[in-house]
């Protein structure tokens, strides 16, 4: 194991040395990879911002459960609250007694209309929010709640949830297609870079073979080279996305202000940044692996 | 022990480099192989580390049929054979130290032990203190000595050399011959292809001569 790590360490340093030997070429390749990756990564971040923005503008989607009139209100309320807490998809539960609902309507300017009524016509209710944006989850839970004893009516404002979800889904598909196409391009870039590397290292490869190097030994530095180039490209992509966020934050906030909204763009968090860099490294490794297999058949 | 059993080697185009060569080399022998250009000397040497495969016949190394060795086993065979070629095949973008270190890295030696072995090898070929230099700054004889250090740093049981003194002046050539003899004295089987048999006469080696792919005298 120690020897394996030592050999990988040497290959890593060798690859790093080769990257450093051609700083201009390395930078150019990393820039190509970085810019190509910044497009889907930036799109994903934009989508993320749009999703949270839409939630902020329209409010979190809620399900309202209106309860039957019953002599034992406390027992019924407790029973339904217990059922709601048992649902893993439920994020928050708020109980709205009928008197509070009436007060809310009065404060919304409907006091005159309600004043003409002999008694409070509003039922007790629960207002529930879910953890998911998935319309399927909303529909399934609503159907389930309708079957609960003591629930007279369930209301779900799902139209905008569905619309938003469909738009976000479309955005995700477009980004996925873009990511696959650009990923393919990056694999080709690395494939070609490694091909050139192999051509310049022919003498070293031949000598290593004569000295008893295995295929793995010969291929290892090229895998590291491809991965390192990918990591560099990934870092450039994350940097480019952050730069985009920094540049766009103020203009977007000014536009939002004219609509009476407050919008603050957020850049990728560390998990998203690590995912971009890791994805780029994997693409670099893949390009290197394909190239090495193609051009080092004899090795 | 190295055994050639009726070995024939044809190259594409119909050229026959070896034509029914049979011979046995015992462990610890010093063997000098001579012959005219194109006699098949280099081919004979290349068959031992499986750089070439015979067209027919077989080559045995310590009871292992090298001619039928699977490709994946060849690297492990070569780690036990020190190889010095006419063109020294040094890596000119690496220091002398790194050139000699390479076979030890390939063989998976721990860094500390590898470092000590490189130092000892440099000492043996008279290049101690010059390990940080690059091969391009060395004379032809010094480059060949680096190649020899690289060939024996792994302590192989067999050392084969193809015209190691070809481009050297007589003084350097004598030093190289002396080095090969010292390895042989330490128990290493040494096979040297050379036009300059006189260089080794002093140590009474076993002499083989090839002509037109056939072993002419022994």
């Amino acid at each position: 194991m120690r020897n394996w790590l030592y050999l990988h360490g040497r290959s890593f340093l060798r690859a790093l040395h080769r990257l450093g030997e051609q700083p201009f070429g390395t930078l150019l390749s990393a820039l190509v990879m970085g810019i190509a990756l910044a497009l889907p990564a930036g799109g994903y971040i934009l989508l993320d911002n749009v999703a949270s923005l839409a939630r902020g503008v329209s409010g979190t989607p809620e399900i309202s459960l209106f309860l039957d009139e019953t002599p034992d209100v406390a027992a019924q309320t407790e029973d339904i609250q217990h059922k709601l807490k048992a649902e893993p998809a439920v994020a928050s539960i708020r109980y709205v007694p009928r008197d509070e609902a009436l007060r809310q309507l009065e404060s919304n300017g409907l006091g005159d209309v309600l004043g003409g009524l002999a008694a409070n016509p509003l039922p007790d209710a629960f207002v529930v929010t879910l953890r998911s944006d998935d319309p399927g989850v909303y529909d399934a839970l609503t159907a389930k709640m309708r079957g609960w004893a003591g629930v007279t009516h369930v209301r779900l404002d799902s139209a905008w949830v569905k619309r938003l979800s469909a738009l976000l889904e479309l955005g995700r598909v477009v980004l996925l297609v873009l990511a696959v196409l650009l990923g393919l391009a990056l694999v080709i870039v690395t494939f070609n870079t490694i091909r050139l590397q192999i051509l310049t290292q022919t003498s070293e490869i031949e000598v290593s073979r004569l000295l008893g190097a295995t295929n793995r030994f010969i291929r290892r530095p090229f895998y590291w080279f491809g991965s390192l180039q990918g990591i560099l490209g990934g870092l450039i992509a994350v940097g480019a996305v952050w730069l985009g966020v920094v540049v766009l934050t103020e203009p977007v906030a000014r536009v939002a202000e004219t609509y009476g909204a407050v919008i603050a763009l957020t850049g990728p968090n560390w998990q998203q940044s690590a995912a971009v860099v890791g994805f780029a490294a994997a693409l670099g490794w893949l390009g290197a692996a394909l190239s090495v297999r193609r051009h080092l058949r004899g090795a | 022990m190295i055994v050639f059993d009726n070995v024939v080697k044809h190259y594409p185009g119909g050229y026959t480099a070896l034509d029914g060569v049979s011979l046995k080399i015992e462990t610890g022998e010093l063997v000098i192989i001579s012959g005219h250009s194109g006699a098949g000397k280099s081919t004979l040497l290349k068959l031992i580390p499986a750089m070439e495969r015979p067209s027919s016949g077989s080559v045995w190394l310590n009871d292992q049929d090298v001619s039928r060795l699977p490709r994946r086993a060849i690297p492990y065979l070569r780690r036990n054979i020190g190889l010095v070629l006419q063109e020294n095949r040094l890596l000119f973008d690496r220091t002398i130290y790194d050139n000699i270190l390479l076979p030890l890295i390939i063989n998976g030696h721990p860094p500390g032990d590898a470092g000590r072995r490189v130092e000892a090898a440099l000492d043996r070929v008279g290049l101690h203190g010059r390990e940080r230099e690059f091969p391009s700054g060395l004379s032809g004889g010094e480059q060949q000595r680096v190649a020899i250090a690289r060939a024996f740093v792994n302590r192989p049981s067999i050392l084969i050399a193809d015209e190691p003194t070809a481009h050297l002046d007589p003084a350097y050539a004598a030093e190289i011959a002396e080095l090969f003899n010292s390895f042989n004295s330490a128990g290493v089987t040494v096979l040297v292809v050379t036009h300059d048999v006189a260089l080794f006469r002093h140590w009474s080696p076993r002499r083989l001569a090839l002509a037109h792919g056939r072993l002419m005298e022994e």
Side-chain angles (χ1 to χ4, degrees):
Chain A
M1 182 66 182
R2 256 175 84 180
N3 189 45
W4 183 82
L5 285 173
Y6 170 67
L7 289 175
H8 266 285
R10 281 200 68 90
S11 300
F12 172 79
L13 291 175
R14 192 85 203 126
L16 212 57
H17 178 71
R18 284 179 190 166
L19 281 170
E21 273 178 338
Q22 300 152 340
F24 185 69
T26 300
L27 185 69
L28 220 58
S29 299
L31 274 173
V32 168
M33 293 183 87
I35 291 165
L37 276 172
L39 290 171
Y44 177 80
I45 295 300
L46 187 70
L47 216 61
D48 214 29
N49 275 287
V50 168
S52 50
L53 190 70
R55 275 191 219 102
V57 170
S58 311
T60 307
E62 292 174 338
I63 300 174
S64 302
L65 285 83
F66 299 104
L67 309 185
D68 276 340
E69 279 191 48
T70 171
D72 193 357
V73 175
Q76 178 183 267
T77 308
E78 195 180 330
D79 178 49
I80 291 174
Q81 192 162 25
H82 183 71
K83 283 177 179 166
L84 286 170
K85 279 182 180 169
E87 287 297 333
V90 170
S92 73
I93 305 162
R94 185 163 55 90
Y95 177 62
V96 184
R98 51 195 305 215
D99 295 340
E100 188 186 324
L102 185 67
R103 276 197 300 277
Q104 278 179 9
L105 280 179
E106 283 172 348
S107 67
N108 286 345
L110 294 171
D112 293 342
V113 179
L114 295 167
L117 298 172
N120 180 359
L122 301 174
D124 293 324
F126 278 101
V127 178
V128 176
T129 60
L130 302 189
R131 297 180 200 283
S132 167
D133 285 342
D134 183 357
V137 175
Y138 277 82
D139 289 341
L141 201 59
T142 307
K144 192 175 178 182
M145 287 166 173
R146 284 195 179 110
W148 288 353
V151 174
T152 182
H153 179 62
V154 179
R155 196 186 69 201
L156 164 67
D157 180 16
S158 65
W160 79 267
V161 177
K162 283 182 176 165
R163 203 174 301 131
L164 176 65
S165 180
L167 280 171
L168 291 177
E169 192 55 39
L170 175 68
R172 283 190 195 104
V173 170
V174 170
L175 281 180
L176 185 69
V177 171
L178 195 66
V180 168
L181 287 175
L182 291 172
L184 195 66
L186 297 189
V187 169
I188 293 167
V189 167
T190 312
F191 181 92
N192 197 44
T193 310
I194 296 294
R195 185 182 68 85
L196 295 174
Q197 279 287 318
I198 290 169
L199 285 176
T200 57
Q201 307 292 326
T202 310
S203 139
E204 185 176 335
I205 291 165
E206 282 175 8
V207 168
S208 298
R209 277 185 196 160
L210 288 176
L211 296 174
T214 57
N215 289 348
R216 262 182 301 179
F217 184 91
I218 291 170
R219 292 171 179 179
R220 203 176 282 132
F222 295 109
Y223 291 154
W224 272 113
F225 187 94
S227 301
L228 281 172
Q229 199 177 53
I231 288 171
L232 269 178
L235 289 172
I236 289 173
V238 171
V241 171
W242 264 109
L243 190 69
V245 168
V246 168
V247 168
L248 287 173
T249 294
E250 214 180 303
V252 168
R254 271 205 301 271
V255 170
E257 205 180 330
T258 60
Y259 289 95
V262 178
I263 297 170
L265 289 179
T266 55
N269 58 33
W270 75 265
Q271 290 102 325
Q272 290 165 334
S273 305
V276 171
V277 175
F279 181 62
L283 289 177
W285 183 91
L286 180 66
L290 292 172
S291 189
V292 158
R293 275 178 203 288
R294 172 76 180 80
H295 299 108
L296 280 179
R297 275 182 202 277
Chain B
M1 189 168 65
I2 304 165
V3 177
F4 281 69
D5 183 13
N6 198 25
V7 172
V8 175
K9 176 65 184 175
H10 301 296
Y11 282 105
Y15 170 66
T16 301
L18 293 176
D19 189 7
V21 171
S22 293
L23 68 97
K24 186 187 280 185
I25 297 166
E26 297 291 343
T27 304
E29 272 195 281
L30 171 61
V31 181
I32 304 301
I33 304 163
S34 59
H36 60 85
S37 294
K41 309 182 296 291
S42 297
T43 301
L44 185 87
L45 282 195
K46 285 176 178 174
L47 288 167
I48 300 170
M51 288 164 71
E52 298 281 0
R53 304 265 192 168
S55 306
S56 67
S58 53
V59 180
W60 294 79
L61 181 63
N62 300 330
D63 301 326
Q64 190 176 33
D65 187 354
V66 172
S67 41
R68 281 162 190 81
L69 211 57
R71 282 185 79 91
R72 64 178 181 282
I74 291 173
Y76 303 98
L77 166 82
R78 288 181 184 167
R79 290 178 193 183
N80 197 32
I81 300 171
L83 195 62
V84 181
L85 299 172
Q86 193 171 343
E87 328 78 52
N88 53 53
R89 307 291 286 269
L90 296 177
L91 301 175
F92 283 78
D93 62 336
R94 295 203 192 185
T95 61
I96 294 170
Y97 184 94
D98 285 338
N99 267 281
I100 301 172
L101 184 67
L102 187 58
L104 296 170
I105 295 169
I106 289 170
N107 213 13
H109 277 275
D113 178 49
R116 280 190 292 276
R117 283 197 185 204
V118 173
E119 293 295 336
L122 280 164
D123 211 21
R124 187 87 182 263
V125 298
L127 289 171
H128 199 266
R130 302 184 68 181
E131 51 267 37
R132 297 292 154 212
E133 291 181 31
F134 286 85
S136 52
L138 303 180
S139 68
E142 287 169 333
Q143 287 181 5
Q144 198 61 299
R145 279 194 271 165
V146 175
I148 292 168
R150 187 181 63 184
F152 80 79
V153 73
N154 226 355
R155 295 178 191 160
S157 60
I158 300 164
L159 196 58
I160 59 181
D162 190 2
E163 302 279 11
T165 57
H167 305 301
L168 303 181
D169 62 44
Y172 279 133
E175 281 179 24
I176 300 296
E178 173 68 47
L179 267 175
F180 282 112
N181 179 59
S182 69
F183 297 134
N184 179 242
S185 301
V188 178
T189 308
V190 178
L191 279 82
V192 182
V193 162
T194 182
H195 281 102
D196 197 356
V197 178
L199 268 177
F200 295 86
R201 192 167 289 152
H202 181 64
W203 299 291
S204 308
R206 180 177 168 197
R207 288 179 55 187
L208 302 175
L210 280 165
H212 305 292
R214 289 176 175 272
L215 201 57
M216 300 306 288
E217 60 179 86
E218 189 173 347

